[in-house]
Amino acid sequence: MSKQTANLICLLVAAIWGGGFLATAGALEAFDPFSVLMIRFIGAAIVSWIVIKVKKLKVTKEALIKGSISGVLMYLAFAFQTFGLDLTNTGQNAFLTSVNVVLVPYISWFLFKRKPMGIQVFASFICLAGIACLSLSSDGFHFSFGDLLSLICAFFFACQIISLEFATKNCDSTVINTIQMSAAAIVSIPFALILEDFPTSIDTNAILSCLYMICIATWLAFQLQTLAQKYTDASSASLLLCTESLFANIFGYFLLHEEKTLTMVFGGLLIFISVILVESSDRIKPVLAKLKRT
């Protein structure tokens, strides 16, 4: 698989996550937030193990360790996002969560001594500016404790993306995703059972929302992300995955008829430009090197 194909898969994942906001909202009408996390990860883990059994794949010790690390980081990110969302507004939470697009190149540089390309750093800030326009155009920006939790969430998402790039180098992506989902499921159980009560009745809409959230927005999306990160770098993946805010706004406009301002349209344009920059980075790099030599 080429890097360009892997990047396109990351865009597909972002689109799935953008549409997944509708399913999550439906699930939250019946379940509390941590129960939703427990349901999505336990359900996704079960689907993942079925795939493992059908494909007769072997779970190695290396995959078990690497996948578990990614799974714990993923759950911590979702947990801090949930706490943060309870203490701040949705737009600000989405914006601060997306700060991982800027954190990834520098954390990767610190851990692996791999200096990011200048165009990747530039594109990440362009993308972050676009996300700010989409998320904060109506509510403004006021920093609170909930915002701090959202920033911690961004840090863990950045670490999870980096850990996946490391985990998929010598391991099967399906196995890594299975272990990742299983680890997140195990960690999610005590939070949901201790902090929340399970509903006594569940309607059909909530059940269908949970099924979509489990099979499409969690298992399929993270399976595709895990596969893609075997062939692309963490910096590019983090930027492309952050376009979920753009897709969420697009789906909101067409499906829910949500009103969009000029600021939000400008934000979408900035995100689109950042995607073009990342997609063309491999072709631009040799051109820049040639100009530098001359």
Side-chain angles (χ1 to χ4, degrees), residues 25-222:
L28 285 170
E29 291 180 2
F31 302 96
D32 290 324
F34 284 103
S35 296
V36 169
L37 291 181
M38 181 180 70
I39 290 168
R40 77 183 298 171
F41 289 127
I42 289 179
I46 291 172
V47 174
S48 298
W49 280 108
I50 292 174
V51 174
I52 285 283
K53 294 298 182 182
V54 171
K55 288 188 172 184
K56 298 180 180 179
L57 299 175
K58 183 180 179 181
V59 179
T60 64
K61 183 178 179 180
E62 181 182 8
L64 186 62
I65 295 172
K66 291 180 177 179
S68 296
I69 292 172
S70 293
V72 171
L73 290 171
M74 180 172 63
Y75 184 81
L76 288 173
F78 275 106
F80 276 103
Q81 185 182 51
T82 302
F83 275 118
L85 187 58
D86 190 45
L87 298 173
T88 189
N89 64 72
T90 304
Q92 203 143 310
N93 178 267
F95 169 63
L96 292 171
T97 297
S98 299
V99 169
N100 74 78
V101 73
V102 176
L103 296 178
V104 166
Y106 299 104
I107 295 175
S108 185
W109 188 6
F110 175 77
L111 292 176
F112 305 115
K113 311 302 179 185
R114 187 175 57 203
K115 188 176 181 179
M117 293 171 56
I119 193 170
Q120 289 178 322
V121 176
F122 177 68
S124 68
F125 280 99
I126 292 292
C127 183
L128 191 62
I131 292 168
C133 291
L134 286 175
S135 304
L136 307 179
S137 57
S138 59
D139 296 320
F141 187 86
H142 308 282
F143 200 82
S144 65
F145 180 67
D147 299 324
L148 175 62
L149 296 179
S150 299
L151 276 178
I152 296 174
C153 153
F155 171 77
F156 281 118
F157 268 128
C159 291
Q160 189 264 343
I161 291 171
I162 293 170
S163 72
L164 265 189
E165 181 185 2
F166 172 70
T168 55
K169 292 304 179 186
N170 300 312
C171 299
D172 184 272
S173 59
T174 301
V175 174
I176 289 293
N177 190 52
T178 299
I179 302 303
Q180 176 179 242
M181 290 297 148
S182 301
I186 292 170
V187 176
S188 71
I189 293 173
F191 285 95
L193 296 183
I194 294 173
L195 299 177
E196 298 172 350
D197 296 320
F198 215 70
T200 54
S201 62
I202 305 170
D203 60 22
T204 304
N205 180 60
I207 294 174
L208 293 176
S209 295
C210 287
L211 287 174
Y212 178 89
M213 184 178 62
I214 289 169
C215 298
I216 307 299
T218 306
W219 175 77
L220 178 60
F222 280 103

Side-chain angles (χ1 to χ4, degrees), residues 3 115-122 235 281-282 284-285 288:
K3 183 178 178 181
K115 188 176 181 179
M117 293 171 56
I119 193 170
Q120 289 178 322
V121 176
F122 177 68
S235 298
S281 61
D282 286 342
I284 293 175
K285 186 177 180 180
L288 293 177

